[in-house]
Every structure is written in structure tokens, then in C-alpha cells.
Amino acid sequence: MATPPKIRRDFFDRSVHRVAPELIGATLLVDGVGGVIVEVEAYHHTDPAAHSYTGRTERNAVMFGAPGVAYVYRSYGIHWCLNFVCEAEGSASAVLIRAIEPTAGLALMRRRRGLSDERALCSGPGKLCQALGVSIRHNGLALDRAPFDLRARGARPEIVIGPRIGITKAVEQPWRYGLQGSRFLSKVFR
DNA sequence: TGGGCGATTCGCT
DNA sequence: GCGAATCGCCCAC
């Protein structure tokens, strides 16, 4: 089977709500470790739930920069979360990567996560960062070159849509996208 | 400068 | 289902 084409940087020069569903089914590797993206959430500058909503700070500065790069932040003082910056310079919108179906580097992911259950390796934003070795080191790095390897989805997948998770503002906005029927989602879509 | 809180996860009940 | 872990961010004081 041929390797799917690399996702180019201009893929991200569009509305976060167009980019997010197209990331479902794409393959994300970090230093050769990762799998198929099965769950994402969209966050736009004008969205009260977005980190960029109240303006630029040191933490979210990358969101305000060029699209096509990684925005990584620490969550609850413990976990890392990985986002892809979208739209245009200053737009400050991003897609949060929430879950991955592990396909490459399973042994290393199991070691990093300290567990063997494949379904639990990358079924959450903090989990997948631990499994893929993503940290603040990756903040601001371009997604179209090493250590990232991002490949386009194949055939258009069946996508489920629902409200986002773990937020307190704009909770009803249906900006969570998932791969229909995937066993690797962070939570079931209701 | 201090304190409340979070785009989470895990273990225990 | 619930609460602890854990700490940087951010705004009110």
C-alpha cells in the first residue's frame, strides 16, 4: 500500500471548522511513533472556550503566529496537550488533537504510558502526548517536517460530531469531531 | 503578589 | 461516579 501524501503547510490556511473534520483519518507520527487521528476539537479566537479568546499571552503566543505549526500547553499542571494552529497569522485558532488509533511504535508507546491496553494508549489529549513523547519542546515547531510526519486521510471517513469535552464555556457548540465507530475515542459521542 | 482554576487522568468506591 | 494530583497561567487585590 502506498504511503498517503504528506499534509502540506497550506492545508492549515483555512477555517478551523473546515480543517478539523479533515484531520479525522489523517496519520500523525512524531519521531515515527503515532497513528490515525480519530478525534479532534476546534477552537477559534472568537470562541470563549479558546485560550486565545482573551488575547495574546506568553503561553498562547504560538496560536497568534503562522498556521501549520504545533501549539503545546500544559494541562492541569500535569499533562501536555497538542494543537495544530490554523487559518492565518493572527487568527489565533487551533485544532486540539484528542485521540489517536495507535499504529506505529506500539512498544515504545506502551513503555511511555506504562500500560499495555492498546485502546488506552492514546484515547485522550494528555495520553497521546505522553505516548508520542510530545512536550513543550514541540511548541511552535512546523508540522510539515521532522519530528512530525503528517499524512492525509484516504477515503473520506464517516464522521461523528458533538459538543466538546472538559470545558465550561460555549459547552453546547458542536465542535468535536470523531471517527464513526472508532474504539479509540476518548469518550463516546452522545 | 496571592490564590483560584483548568481544552486531564487515574485510582478507588 | 468522585476526588486527588499538580503547577503554570492569569487576574484581582
Side-chain angles (χ1 to χ4, degrees):
Chain A
M1 191 174 94
T3 307
K6 237 181 185 340
I7 289 182
R8 300 161 60 92
R9 209 145 169 181
D10 61 9
F11 173 88
F12 297 97
D13 297 348
R14 298 175 296 150
S15 159
V16 74
H17 297 298
R18 291 184 58 89
V19 173
E22 288 187 30
L23 284 171
I24 300 299
T27 299
L28 170 67
L29 304 182
V30 179
D31 286 319
V33 175
V36 178
I37 297 173
V38 296
E39 182 183 338
V40 301
E41 285 177 358
Y43 287 89
H44 189 267
H45 185 193
T46 57
D47 169 6
H51 286 169
S52 54
Y53 181 67
T54 55
R56 181 184 180 130
T57 65
E58 196 170 332
R59 174 179 67 154
N60 66 23
V62 165
M63 281 188 82
F64 287 81
V69 307
Y71 164 50
V72 181
Y73 68 92
R74 207 192 259 290
S75 173
Y76 289 86
I78 306 169
H79 314 287
W80 298 107
C81 289
L82 171 65
N83 299 252
F84 296 166
V85 178
C86 292
E87 295 203 8
E89 182 101 20
S91 165
S93 64
V95 177
L96 170 69
I97 311 303
R98 285 197 55 91
I100 286 176
E101 174 180 344
T103 60
L106 276 287
L108 183 51
M109 285 194 271
R110 287 194 170 99
R111 189 153 71 241
R112 285 169 171 165
R113 294 273 297 127
L115 48 78
S116 58
D117 179 11
E118 195 173 319
R119 289 179 61 172
L121 286 182
C122 301
S123 57
K127 297 178 185 179
L128 72 89
C129 282
Q130 185 180 26
L132 272 60
V134 171
S135 74
I136 195 67
R137 292 184 302 113
H138 298 87
N139 191 40
L141 297 188
L143 296 167
D144 61 353
R145 48 189 164 88
F148 294 106
D149 185 7
L150 193 55
R151 303 278 167 175
R153 68 186 186 189
R156 179 187 290 259
E158 284 295 311
I159 292 180
V160 221
I161 299 176
R164 294 172 295 181
I165 292 179
I167 56 174
T168 57
K169 300 163 191 165
V171 293
E172 287 307 316
Q173 296 296 343
W175 292 336
R176 177 180 177 227
Y177 302 88
L179 178 62
Q180 168 97 45
S182 173
R183 303 161 47 237
F184 299 91
L185 301 173
S186 67
K187 283 197 171 109
V188 180
F189 280 74
R190 59 171 180 82

